[in-house]
Amino acid sequence: MTMEKKIEHFDVIIIGGGAAGLTAGIYCGRARLKTLLIEKSLMGGLATYTSEIENYPGFPEGSSGTELMELFHKQAKKFGVTFKGTAVQSVDLTGEEKIVETFRNRYIAKAVIITTGGKPRLTGALNEDIFLYDKGISFCATCDAAANTDKTVMVVGSGDSAIEEGIFLTKFAKKVIISVMHDEGIMDCNEIAKAQAMANPKMEFIWNSTVHSYEGADHLERVILKNTKTQELQSINIDSCFLFIGYLPNTELFQNQVALTSRSNIIVNERMETNLPGVFAAGDVCEKFLKQVATAVGDGAIAGYACEKYLAEGEIFEQQILNEGKKSLVYLYNGSDAVAREKITLVEDFGAKHPDMRVTCVDIYKSDGLARRLAVKDIPSVVYLNNSEIKTVLSDISANTLSTISLS
Ligand code: FAD
């Protein structure tokens, strides 16, 4: 017997409760949108795994990830966001109504913000889970380099991030040992990074090696490497081990719906819009240059704001522009264009002569969402609709050209 799922409606659903999701929640909640945030494990996301965040502005003494994220959560709660602690199991984001399903519920919303973050790829070696994050295995040189000042660290990997982050670590650590699985001299990174790394006196390479196991008491003390050719084991004393062998975004749920890069990150534009109308993404799940709390916050703010604009525009489109199938005239102009501004009177005068027609003037300066919904690229333009269909688009706007519009 299949269980009937309980159906609930929201304006917007945010999937993932990390820095990006909680910030999007603050913006949506504050804009009085009926907002649901679904988080499957720890509220606060990946940042809660780090004991010290020193580079998030506004906290000169630093803050623990958990404390910082608690503040984010508190602020989102204050603005009336509803929280559910469960995993999203499936989505259908392609239609106008967005469907998000958990084990028990089916949630329906007008918009969705995806903030599911990602996870660093692991080596799978023995004892790895014991030393993750604060116990010596790190995935973030920017975050943990300072704590390794004058220490010996290992970097696993030879791609661009491994080598570039390894070079960055040499500014702090006294020695950076790179474990590379390839033959001597072969690396996956670009040639410039390779040349810089090979010339760096603080860097040392162990070729043909993979991690066999991690050892230590409370904190990681040794990495046991295995030679892939001779199978010989080699124990190396280190203070921290940085894994840069890939990052896996949590996008399995969205495949075949939302456009992804070849590395499975979500493709967004500067408004955090995905390829699907009404679907936004923010934070580490996106294709982006820097994955940090500060940038996740920036993304989340944009996504929340863009989502609010999208919903407000949707209402104007439905209620005003489609005008229940009756006659409707829309003037799309850019408020920063003085000539286009002057033509508002012209359009309004024309409208006044036809009282059965509704006139809407739309300044696209802040958001061109309505122009996009009407598929109009030339600005300024006048669009005439009847029976909810576009009948005429006019970009040469004068009293004369307006009078040529056939108002049937
Ligand atoms: P995340 O924080 O990853 O949040 C995504 C959330 O989505 C998770 O909570 C996850 O459980 C949830 N989720 C995923 N799938 C589902 C689903 N199907 N249903 C429901 N929920 C789901 N950055 C800094 O700025 N400074 C630092 O010092 C720093 N230190 C770091 C230390 C470590 C050890 C690590 C790993 C990262 C560190 N970072 C640091 C990076 C920072 O943590 C991330 O950039 C930031 O957390 C990204 O936020 P996010 O909201 O995009 O994703």
Side-chain angles (χ1 to χ4, degrees):
M1 197 181 77
T2 51
M3 187 181 72
E4 275 290 307
K5 290 198 178 186
K6 191 175 159 212
I7 297 179
E8 272 187 75
H9 289 260
F10 286 86
D11 289 328
V12 51
I13 298 172
I14 300 167
I15 309 175
L22 289 169
T23 307
I26 291 169
Y27 275 71
C28 291
R30 191 158 178 267
R32 305 250 166 92
L33 299 177
K34 191 177 176 206
T35 306
L36 171 67
L37 188 151
I38 306 174
E39 166 55 54
K40 71 172 176 183
S41 59
L42 272 183
M43 195 59 75
L46 216 54
T48 57
Y49 289 86
T50 180
S51 57
E52 192 65 21
I53 296 189
E54 290 185 336
N55 54 2
Y56 187 71
F59 294 82
E61 308 305 327
S63 168
S64 84
T66 311
E67 276 166 13
L68 185 64
M69 289 303 115
E70 267 171 17
L71 293 174
F72 279 41
H73 187 195
K74 192 173 165 193
Q75 201 165 347
K77 267 200 243 170
K78 177 181 141 186
F79 291 119
V81 174
T82 303
F83 291 91
K84 298 274 177 206
T86 177
V88 170
Q89 293 190 326
S90 68
V91 297
D92 183 353
L93 306 177
T94 52
E96 198 153 321
E97 280 198 332
K98 314 294 175 198
I99 300 163
V100 174
E101 294 203 317
T102 61
F103 180 64
R104 289 182 197 284
N105 292 68
R106 164 177 284 215
Y107 298 106
I108 299 174
K110 297 173 200 157
V112 162
I113 303 178
I114 302 169
T115 51
T116 45
K119 46 193 171 298
R121 196 193 289 271
L122 303 177
T123 64
L126 230 58
N127 302 332
E128 195 163 44
D129 50 338
I130 302 175
F131 298 109
L132 287 180
Y133 303 112
D134 288 352
K135 301 269 191 264
I137 299 178
S138 171
F139 307 91
C140 178
T142 313
C143 320
D144 297 332
N148 281 287
T149 303
D150 295 329
K151 298 202 170 153
T152 299
V153 302
M154 180 176 282
V155 166
V156 178
S158 72
D160 285 343
S161 345
I163 302 306
E164 283 165 10
E165 300 292 278
I167 294 170
F168 175 71
L169 283 165
T170 60
K171 298 192 167 98
F172 299 84
K174 68 171 185 245
K175 196 199 268 183
V176 178
I177 303 165
I178 317 271
S179 161
V180 185
M181 65 176 183
H182 305 299
D183 283 348
E184 182 163 353
I186 300 175
M187 296 188 207
D188 297 318
C189 64
N190 64 73
E191 287 301 318
I192 298 172
K194 179 178 165 183
Q196 278 178 355
M198 300 289 264
N200 191 316
K202 282 189 172 179
M203 283 174 116
E204 195 178 300
F205 296 85
I206 303 184
W207 307 99
N208 300 120
S209 63
T210 54
V211 180
H212 172 269
S213 56
Y214 301 90
E215 287 181 0
D218 286 345
H219 192 273
L220 181 66
E221 291 163 19
R222 285 175 303 284
V223 175
I224 316 295
L225 293 181
K226 182 178 178 177
N227 185 301
T228 51
K229 291 208 159 149
T230 62
Q231 313 300 316
E232 233 173 274
L233 298 181
Q234 183 181 3
S235 172
I236 303 182
N237 292 337
I238 42 94
D239 296 290
S240 291
C241 180
F242 290 80
L243 305 186
F244 295 114
I245 49 174
Y247 183 83
L248 306 168
N250 295 320
T251 47
E252 298 87 347
L253 281 174
F254 314 108
Q255 264 160 20
N256 305 323
Q257 295 186 41
V258 178
L260 306 176
T261 64
S262 55
R263 292 179 183 202
S264 297
N265 285 104
I266 297 181
I267 302 169
V268 286
N269 62 16
E270 61 180 15
R271 297 162 200 222
M272 300 294 141
E273 291 166 327
T274 68
N275 59 313
L276 297 176
V279 180
F280 304 81
D284 284 7
V285 76
C286 301
E287 175 67 14
K288 67 189 287 192
F289 181 56
L290 177 66
K291 294 187 172 94
Q292 288 278 278
V293 176
T295 58
V297 164
D299 290 356
I302 296 171
Y305 180 79
C307 181
E308 191 248 316
K309 281 274 160 287
Y310 170 83
L311 294 176
E313 282 167 356
E315 260 174 45
I316 294 174
F317 189 76
E318 290 292 324
Q319 290 166 17
Q320 239 168 279
I321 293 180
L322 294 183
N323 195 22
E324 295 170 337
K326 290 183 266 179
K327 292 177 185 171
S328 166
L329 192 77
V330 188
Y331 178 43
L332 298 159
Y333 69 101
N334 187 327
S336 65
D337 174 350
V339 180
R341 271 201 319 266
E342 277 165 23
K343 289 187 178 170
I344 294 176
T345 333
L346 214 64
V347 176
E348 284 174 349
D349 287 350
F350 177 69
K353 288 187 203 139
H354 303 279
D356 59 336
M357 181 170 70
R358 181 162 194 171
V359 176
T360 312
C361 293
V362 179
D363 180 358
I364 62 106
Y365 181 72
K366 265 201 166 174
S367 167
D368 64 352
L370 286 170
R372 280 184 288 140
R373 275 177 207 249
L374 289 162
V376 171
K377 289 209 171 82
D378 285 337
I379 302 293
S381 277
V382 163
V383 185
Y384 171 66
L385 299 96
N386 200 359
N387 295 321
S388 304
E389 276 176 28
I390 296 179
K391 301 288 183 190
T392 311
V393 180
L394 206 66
S395 51
D396 170 19
I397 305 155
S398 68
N400 269 348
T401 55
L402 284 170
S403 66
T404 64
I405 298 176
S406 158
L407 296 179
S408 56

